[in-house]
Amino acid sequence: MPTTNSWGNATSILADHAVKEDTAFYRSFTSEDEKAVLTVPQRIQDAWLKNDADTFADVFAENGSLLLQDNQLTSREQIRDFMRAGFQGGLKGAHVYGWPLEVKFLGPNVAIVITEGGIIRAGESEIAPENQIRAVWTVVRGEDGELSLFSHQSSPIKG
């Protein structure tokens, strides 16, 4: 059985959520704690790939926040409804891909991740320049040890 650490074991966390681990995603962030925190963006990418609004929203804390384009969503249910409409509309068949640029631990139960990547629209094979983003992820660890996304904000790289 894999050794666990204070934030958990990335392989086990992803397996528990039925997400295939992408070990290349970690890049230079290879400590056990960093990899565990980076399971949150991997879970979001997997939900996008499946266009699954429920799984996407369930990554967030109950009072989680998502700032996506001009939309500020402040609860898991708002996020679920927004993504469900998106996956049935303009985001149908789209997925996201990104990679970490930075991982910082702010306290025993809070970490910040900065990623770069973007949306790959249906029928496209790579991120178009106008869809490139940088994102800030606030990952929290609950009393039960579960990692969730408290806040996510993305900004376009090219205006």
Side-chain angles (χ1 to χ4, degrees):
M1 181 167 197
T3 304
T4 59
N5 58 69
S6 63
W7 282 79
N9 175 274
T11 302
S12 297
I13 293 168
L14 292 170
D16 289 347
H17 292 282
V19 175
K20 184 175 188 249
E21 185 174 26
D22 176 4
T23 58
F25 178 82
Y26 303 123
R27 297 194 167 202
S28 64
F29 302 98
T30 57
S31 79
E32 291 302 312
D33 284 349
E34 289 169 332
K35 290 187 329 185
V37 168
L38 291 172
T39 63
V40 170
Q42 286 187 73
R43 290 170 54 204
I44 289 290
Q45 285 183 173
D46 184 70
W48 267 87
L49 187 61
K50 296 172 181 170
N51 278 198
D52 185 334
D54 290 324
T55 300
F56 183 94
D58 289 345
V59 176
F60 283 81
E62 184 64 39
N63 60 341
S65 171
L66 173 63
L67 178 59
L68 188 63
Q69 298 162 340
D70 293 334
N71 301 288
Q72 178 66 60
L73 310 167
T74 57
S75 74
R76 187 184 293 155
E77 291 313 308
Q78 285 181 354
I79 294 165
R80 186 182 320 279
D81 292 344
F82 180 84
M83 294 308 293
R84 183 173 288 123
F87 289 149
Q88 292 172 355
L91 299 176
K92 186 175 185 173
H95 63 282
V96 293
Y97 185 74
W99 49 91
L101 299 175
E102 192 167 351
V103 177
K104 287 189 175 186
F105 293 90
L106 303 181
N109 296 310
V110 180
I112 296 284
V113 175
I114 299 173
T115 59
E116 185 170 304
I119 297 174
I120 301 171
R121 301 278 179 188
E124 296 177 350
S125 60
E126 59 187 40
I127 302 167
E130 65 273 13
N131 292 328
Q132 294 176 344
I133 58 106
R134 285 224 175 94
V136 178
W137 311 65
T138 304
V139 178
V140 295
R141 182 175 52 177
E143 290 181 15
D144 60 358
E146 181 74 18
L147 304 185
S148 59
L149 187 52
F150 181 73
S151 179
H152 179 275
Q153 184 270 325
S154 62
S155 298
I157 291 177
K158 301 190 186 257

